[in-house]
Amino acid sequence: TVQLVESGGGSVQVGGSLRLSCAASGFQYRLSSMGWYRQAPGKEREGVARINKDGTSKYADSVKGRFTISRDNAQNTLYLQMNSLKAEDTAMYYCTAAPNTDLYGQLDVDDFPYWGQGTQVTVSS
């Protein structure tokens, strides 16, 4: 059974930083594309970042230069380092997995069949 468990969310002030983690199990993590998505109240889910098994990554324009996605294949863990946080980054953040594949092109919610339960990030001024 695929399991994705996020942690690291919380409340932070504008300009602050948070590091999200996602513990993955139940599939061949090192061979899979992984991603972070988010959903703000009243808005659709949107892609934040994606990383393939070879480490190539893609970011949403809104987070480029501020967020960094990384993976530890030995620990089956995905990370999202978020710096210079803005109020508009407030959302539920989800870890996603696409087993045994690499993904290219735009960040698409339909690319990932497996989703975690999410961790809340709240940025206030």
Side-chain angles (χ1 to χ4, degrees), residues 5-60:
V5 180
E6 303 96 336
S7 61
S11 296
V12 64
Q13 290 191 325
V14 170
S17 298
L18 282 174
R19 188 193 196 200
L20 306 184
S21 299
C22 171
S25 62
F27 63 103
Q28 290 188 295
Y29 176 83
R30 64 182 179 87
L31 299 181
S32 304
S33 182
M34 302 294 296
W36 288 100
Y37 282 69
R38 67 186 181 187
Q39 186 168 23
K43 294 188 176 182
E44 294 185 352
R45 286 186 181 186
E46 63 173 358
V48 175
R50 179 185 68 217
I51 186 167
N52 285 332
K53 62 177 181 289
D54 63 358
T56 56
S57 58
K58 182 170 180 66
Y59 295 90

Side-chain angles (χ1 to χ4, degrees), residues 7 53 64 73 78 80 89 123:
S7 61
K53 62 177 181 289
K64 278 181 184 176
N73 288 342
L78 181 71
L80 184 69
D89 294 320
V123 185

Side-chain angles (χ1 to χ4, degrees), residues 1 4 10 22 29 31 47 55 57 60 62 64 72 79-80 86 89 94 118 121:
T1 303
L4 302 169
C22 171
Y29 176 83
L31 299 181
S57 58
S62 59
K64 278 181 184 176
D72 183 337
Y79 301 100
L80 184 69
K86 305 176 180 179
D89 294 320
Y94 298 91
V121 171

